[in-house]
Amino acid sequence: MMRKPVLALRAALTVVQAGAQIRHGAPLIEFNDDGGWCWFEDERAIVAGGKLVFGTIATGGTRQGHVEATVYDLKSRETNRVTLHIPTDEKDRRQWADDHNSPAFLLLPTGEILTMYAKHGPEEKIYYRISKPGDPVAWGGEQVFVPSPASRVTYSNLHMLARENAPRGRIYDFYRGFNNSFKPSYAWSDDLGRTWSAGGVFIDVPSKFRHRPYVKYASNGRDMVHFAYTDGHPRDFDNSIYHAVYRAGELLASDGTRIRSMKEGLKAPEEGTLVYKGGPENVAWITDLQLDRKGRPYMVFSVQMNSAGKPPGEGGEDHRYHYARHDGKRWHVAEIAYAGTRIYAREDDYTGLAALDPSDPTTIYISTNADPATGAPLISKADNERHWEIYRGTTGDYRKWKWEAVTRDSTADNLRPVVPAQDSTQTVLLWLQGKMRSYTDYTFRVVGMIGKR
């Protein structure tokens, strides 16, 4: 049954302080009082027509498992919350109450917004909606795309290449799980998201056991999609970080050398360009990827240090953030900050995460419960507890970074920052504030700040 979007909230801006001090006195804005996201669906947040649009999964009360879009008018400061999907029964509610299910968004040339979302692997369906032109509060009916009956899908990532299928362009959805492969896969649309065609797997992982690379994507919007990825999950592999590029049906190395066709796909992660070599004492996980004004990729990833031989639940006490950029010829990689400890014991590699500024490769925002420069634990003066705080990092040479606290002395954790791209002198910074016990059990609200570049 098709469900109409539910307009759940129309209210003025809510401003709260919540035990956090914000740099330069800018207020902390509460955008949504219940919501979480994973970091392998993009774009999770976009700015379109002067409105901020982002997606979350609620977990509390009657909204448990609701897929939601929040729309914030940057001029009027009006907030609207739209329910994109409502679970049908208790089992469905439990399956949807998972941060992996958060929606991705893409602004179309028509002024419409496409959103796609899926459950975390139990079914073959990718759900999607398209908004009315210029009005992200009003959405058309929910549609369903099935790549194949055998597929078990999650993680939509939407990118449009204007030079493919000209003049309309082609939209790609990079997701996981074609034919229950558990591997990075793709689909495309040649009619602005109305109908979809299934591609196949494009990063294979030959192995004796079932596993998957983790991938982040970035596009120039014209003819290329870059992707950075791992060997697999960091609990299973001493992950390295690799990079490759899609262009005109081909998969290319960082230097532009052809590897294979997209239809063939990479036959192993190692066929891509090695960016960072992992090992037992330095296990990597990709966090964010962007392109600079010349179309060159830059990325941030986390590295779990000094946990070799420890069983799950006993490692993850020392993470570091690394920054990598390509200068057109080769990759330059440097450790830039202490990322602190794991968030919870069942996922030793879960960090607070980091967000690159899409407009400025010299600026980054990180979440950490350690001083970024020294590694000393961050103990809040407000409650004498250790919390994850948000820091802004800047650099002049990509080697030395200066760190400035965005939040300090908080009474809740500040995790998973996001900086949406926009053509403006403003910077919009979002993050999740609250407590994470697992990816299906969290108490978060979406907060943030808006300031000048």
Side-chain angles (χ1 to χ4, degrees):
M1 179 178 69
M2 296 296 181
R3 292 183 178 271
K4 294 182 179 180
V6 179
L7 183 58
L9 177 68
R10 185 177 290 272
L13 169 69
T14 301
V15 180
V16 292
Q17 289 298 336
Q21 298 179 20
I22 308 302
R23 59 184 290 267
H24 304 314
L28 184 68
I29 304 169
E30 180 183 272
F31 295 103
N32 190 323
D33 64 356
D34 179 5
W37 53 54
C38 191
W39 72 103
F40 290 108
E41 309 92 14
D42 281 318
E43 299 289 338
R44 282 157 288 161
I46 64 173
V47 174
K51 295 179 175 64
L52 168 67
V53 183
F54 65 86
T56 50
I57 301 293
T59 60
T62 59
R63 287 163 57 197
Q64 183 186 28
H66 286 202
V67 183
E68 297 179 344
T70 299
V71 181
Y72 175 77
D73 191 304
L74 294 170
K75 184 176 181 179
S76 71
R77 299 186 177 184
E78 182 180 62
T79 303
N80 290 271
R81 188 175 66 235
V82 181
T83 303
L84 298 171
H85 183 92
I86 300 175
T88 57
D89 55 32
E90 187 59 33
K91 178 181 178 182
D92 199 39
R93 182 184 296 273
R94 290 195 301 270
Q95 289 181 341
W96 277 106
D98 181 325
D99 69 17
H100 295 62
N101 304 339
S102 59
F105 297 92
L106 177 69
L107 177 63
L108 303 179
T110 57
E112 301 164 309
I113 296 175
L114 167 68
T115 183
M116 300 189 84
Y117 44 94
K119 291 182 180 179
H120 187 192
E123 64 179 15
E124 73 282 11
K125 299 175 183 177
I126 300 175
Y127 301 82
Y128 63 101
R129 288 185 183 274
I130 298 174
S131 77
K132 291 184 178 181
D135 188 0
V137 173
W139 294 81
E142 185 176 75
Q143 306 293 316
V144 175
F145 166 57
V146 176
S148 74
S151 294
R152 295 295 178 265
V153 299
T154 191
Y155 291 148
S156 278
N157 294 262
L158 296 171
H159 294 278
M160 183 170 185
L161 298 184
R163 293 181 184 173
E164 291 196 9
N165 185 47
R168 301 194 75 180
R170 174 170 289 175
I171 299 171
Y172 284 94
D173 179 23
F174 297 96
Y175 67 97
R176 188 175 80 191
F178 179 69
N179 276 348
N180 200 20
S181 62
F182 214 36
K183 300 171 185 177
S185 310
Y186 69 100
W188 73 89
S189 172
D190 284 343
D191 57 5
L192 298 180
R194 271 66 180 176
T195 61
W196 290 84
S197 300
V201 171
F202 70 95
I203 306 179
D204 204 352
V205 280
S207 177
K208 295 181 180 179
F209 68 97
R210 180 177 167 86
H211 74 95
R212 67 287 192 195
Y214 282 79
V215 192
K216 293 291 291 187
Y217 306 87
S219 171
N220 65 3
R222 299 185 303 275
D223 59 354
M224 290 191 293
V225 179
H226 293 245
F227 47 102
Y229 60 97
T230 65
D231 301 271
H233 195 289
R235 78 166 70 94
D236 300 322
F237 286 86
D238 297 331
N239 275 340
S240 296
I241 301 292
Y242 306 91
H243 169 262
V245 183
Y246 165 78
R247 182 175 184 177
E250 306 287 353
L251 295 174
L252 313 175
S254 298
D255 63 3
T257 303
R258 182 183 185 274
I259 305 173
R260 295 179 181 274
S261 71
M262 184 69 161
K263 187 175 182 180
E264 290 179 287
L266 302 181
K267 299 307 178 184
E270 295 83 0
E271 289 194 340
T273 299
L274 180 67
V275 177
Y276 174 83
K277 179 63 176 176
E281 299 285 9
N282 57 312
V283 183
W285 212 357
I286 187 64
T287 302
D288 199 8
L289 174 69
Q290 297 289 346
L291 304 181
D292 67 17
R293 293 179 181 179
K294 294 183 178 180
R296 299 174 302 194
Y298 57 105
M299 70 177 75
V300 61
F301 54 93
S302 62
V303 177
Q304 183 187 161
M305 305 292 293
N306 309 315
S307 293
K310 295 182 179 180
E314 295 185 13
E317 292 300 314
D318 180 10
H319 291 89
R320 315 284 177 88
Y321 290 124
H322 287 60
Y323 182 98
R325 64 183 181 91
H326 198 265
D327 65 4
K329 296 181 179 180
R330 64 187 183 93
W331 285 97
H332 301 266
V333 184
E335 180 182 310
I336 63 170
Y338 288 92
T341 66
R342 68 193 182 200
I343 294 177
Y344 61 91
R346 293 186 299 280
E347 293 286 1
D348 291 353
D349 296 88
Y350 269 33
T351 66
L353 299 182
L356 300 165
D357 187 327
S359 302
D360 182 5
T362 66
T363 299
I364 188 172
Y365 295 87
I366 67 172
S367 169
T368 177
N369 67 351
D371 183 290
T374 68
L378 295 177
I379 306 300
S380 172
K381 294 179 181 178
D383 63 5
N384 205 36
E385 298 288 336
R386 187 174 186 179
H387 290 293
W388 278 262
E389 305 283 8
I390 303 296
Y391 280 79
R392 178 178 182 262
T394 55
T395 185
D397 60 8
Y398 298 101
R399 295 188 301 275
K400 296 180 181 179
W401 290 75
K402 178 182 178 181
W403 297 101
E404 178 183 17
V406 175
T407 66
R408 62 169 63 89
D409 294 327
S410 298
T411 55
D413 295 332
N414 301 278
L415 305 169
R416 298 187 170 180
V418 173
V419 180
Q422 61 170 323
D423 295 325
S424 172
T425 58
Q426 289 182 320
T427 294
V428 177
L429 171 64
L430 308 173
W431 68 89
L432 305 178
Q433 187 180 79
K435 181 68 175 179
M436 186 174 196
R437 293 167 288 275
S438 77
Y439 59 83
T440 58
D441 182 11
Y442 49 84
T443 307
F444 282 140
R445 57 187 188 141
V446 183
V447 301
M449 58 179 288
I450 300 169
K452 295 181 179 180
R453 293 194 184 282

